[in-house]
Amino acid sequence: MTRRNILKSRRIVIKIGTSSLILPNGKINLSNIDELAFVLSDLNNKGYEVILVTSGAVGVGLNVLGMDKRPADIATQQALASIGQVELMSLYTQMFRRYSQKVSQLLLTRDVTDFPTSRENAENALSALLSMNIIPIVNENDAIAVDEMDHQTKFGDNDKLGAIVAKLVDADLLIMLSDIDGLYDKNPTIYDDAQIFREIHEITDELREMAGGAGSRFGTGGMTSKLSAAQILFENRQEMVLTNGARIREIREIIAGKEIGTYFYRK
Ligand SMILES: Nc1ncnc2c1ncn2[C@@H]1O[C@H](COP(=O)(O)OP(=O)(O)O)[C@@H](O)[C@H]1O
Ligand SMILES: N[C@@H](CCC(=O)OP(=O)(O)O)C(=O)O
């Protein structure tokens, strides 16, 4: 069955998680980054407005320093993000350049998107970039986003950031690339008989329970945070497709309305 509403999407936010950018051995997944650059550049050439929300600063930072696990200490995590973000952008810039696509970087913190004047500034910057045919690449400013008692600067995770960026740019669709084909009735990495949901219209407590449990090794989100992102989108009458970042080329089929991944929309 064709997802008819998706066919109308012109402004699309793509969120890619750490697990799609970093291989299980901690090295960079170069073929995925290259494929992402190709598909998004191609979409931009075809007149879609594309915004990329990327994770990976900490994961790439670990790779640069040859470390194999996230340090517990916050300041060291900040330092890793600061190191990794530069390398991550360097990789994106190189890959996108192969397809003659210009990109830019926006690093956001929660206080920016909570505070009306700075939120408007972020909206203006994004809209100016899109009008220049540039693909904005957004991440949380992890090097400085640390929650204080009375000053909340962290989004929590990049799934939420993806939903907030979709709201900022008034996107038609958020495509969330994970390490799994979609939302299942139980964790498919544990249960062989898990069944995928093709459509979700409401985020219920029962769903949240099905999505419980930890996510991948280098990321932070897990399936629960994808449901929280979907909830933010629902509140803004926006839509999301959760799909597997291992098959980036399918993004074009998703936009063509093909039934891939889990489609979150309110009836
Ligand atoms: N009901 C569920 N359906 C799908 N995945 C689930 C479910 N419950 C838990 N998970 C776990 O969530 C993981 C995806 O989240 P996450 O590791 O944060 O991915 P990413 O880093 O790509 O965003 C899956 O690999 C799986 O282990
Ligand atoms: N801003 C962090 C992202 C952390 C995060 O949410 O990761 P993921 O669950 O892989 O999307 C980083 O760049 O490392």
Side-chain angles (χ1 to χ4, degrees), residues 15-19 54-59 70 85 139-140 142 157-159 219-222 226:
K15 185 265 165 177
I16 188 157
T18 308
S19 61
T54 187
S55 301
V58 175
R70 221 172 234 273
Q85 181 65 31
N139 194 0
E140 178 157 10
D142 296 303
D157 60 76
N158 269 23
D159 297 328
T220 54
K226 281 151 189 75

Side-chain angles (χ1 to χ4, degrees), residues 15-21 55 159 176-190 194-195 197 207-227 242-243 245:
K15 185 265 165 177
I16 188 157
T18 308
S19 61
S20 308
L21 298 166
S55 301
D159 297 328
M176 192 166 287
L177 301 171
S178 185
D179 63 352
I180 204 92
D181 287 356
L183 176 69
Y184 289 75
D185 58 358
K186 49 195 157 194
N187 189 341
T189 63
I190 301 173
Q195 299 287 317
F197 292 105
L207 269 189
R208 286 187 194 279
E209 232 163 83
M210 292 174 186
S216 59
R217 185 164 154 231
F218 297 110
T220 54
M223 202 42 62
T224 320
S225 73
K226 281 151 189 75
L227 295 189
L242 172 65
T243 190

Side-chain angles (χ1 to χ4, degrees), residues 70-248:
R70 221 172 234 273
D73 165 54
I74 305 276
T76 314
Q77 287 180 24
Q78 289 172 262
L80 275 170
S82 172
I83 295 162
Q85 181 65 31
V86 189
E87 187 62 23
L88 180 64
M89 279 313 295
S90 162
L91 284 163
Y92 277 128
T93 311
Q94 288 176 57
M95 298 297 191
F96 276 98
R97 193 172 290 138
R98 289 168 68 127
Y99 306 105
S100 306
Q101 177 62 54
K102 295 191 182 72
V103 296
S104 73
Q105 171 185 264
L106 253 99
L107 297 178
L108 297 176
T109 46
R110 189 172 130 189
D111 47 350
V112 166
T113 57
D114 281 353
F115 185 62
T117 309
S118 46
R119 183 174 61 233
E120 205 181 314
N121 288 333
E123 284 167 0
N124 291 345
L126 283 162
S127 134
L129 288 162
L130 292 174
S131 70
M132 293 168 175
N133 260 327
I134 285 168
I135 297 185
I137 302 183
V138 186
N139 194 0
E140 178 157 10
N141 194 348
D142 296 303
I144 59 154
V146 177
D147 283 345
E148 310 286 338
M149 296 279 276
D150 56 351
H151 189 77
Q152 304 296 309
T153 58
K154 278 192 82 61
F155 291 103
D157 60 76
N158 269 23
D159 297 328
K160 189 168 179 194
L161 176 62
I164 287 171
V165 169
K167 185 178 172 193
L168 279 181
V169 299
D170 195 18
D172 301 308
L173 182 67
L174 169 65
I175 300 181
M176 192 166 287
L177 301 171
S178 185
D179 63 352
I180 204 92
D181 287 356
L183 176 69
Y184 289 75
D185 58 358
K186 49 195 157 194
N187 189 341
T189 63
I190 301 173
Y191 302 98
D192 287 344
D193 62 341
Q195 299 287 317
I196 193 165
F197 292 105
R198 287 297 171 201
E199 288 188 359
I200 296 289
H201 310 290
E202 197 190 352
I203 309 301
T204 59
D205 289 343
E206 197 193 349
L207 269 189
R208 286 187 194 279
E209 232 163 83
M210 292 174 186
S216 59
R217 185 164 154 231
F218 297 110
T220 54
M223 202 42 62
T224 320
S225 73
K226 281 151 189 75
L227 295 189
S228 303
Q231 183 61 41
I232 295 173
L233 292 165
F234 280 170
E235 282 158 17
N236 298 303
R237 295 230 149 260
Q238 291 176 298
E239 305 190 349
M240 171 172 114
V241 173
L242 172 65
T243 190
N244 201 322
R247 293 186 300 276
I248 285 168

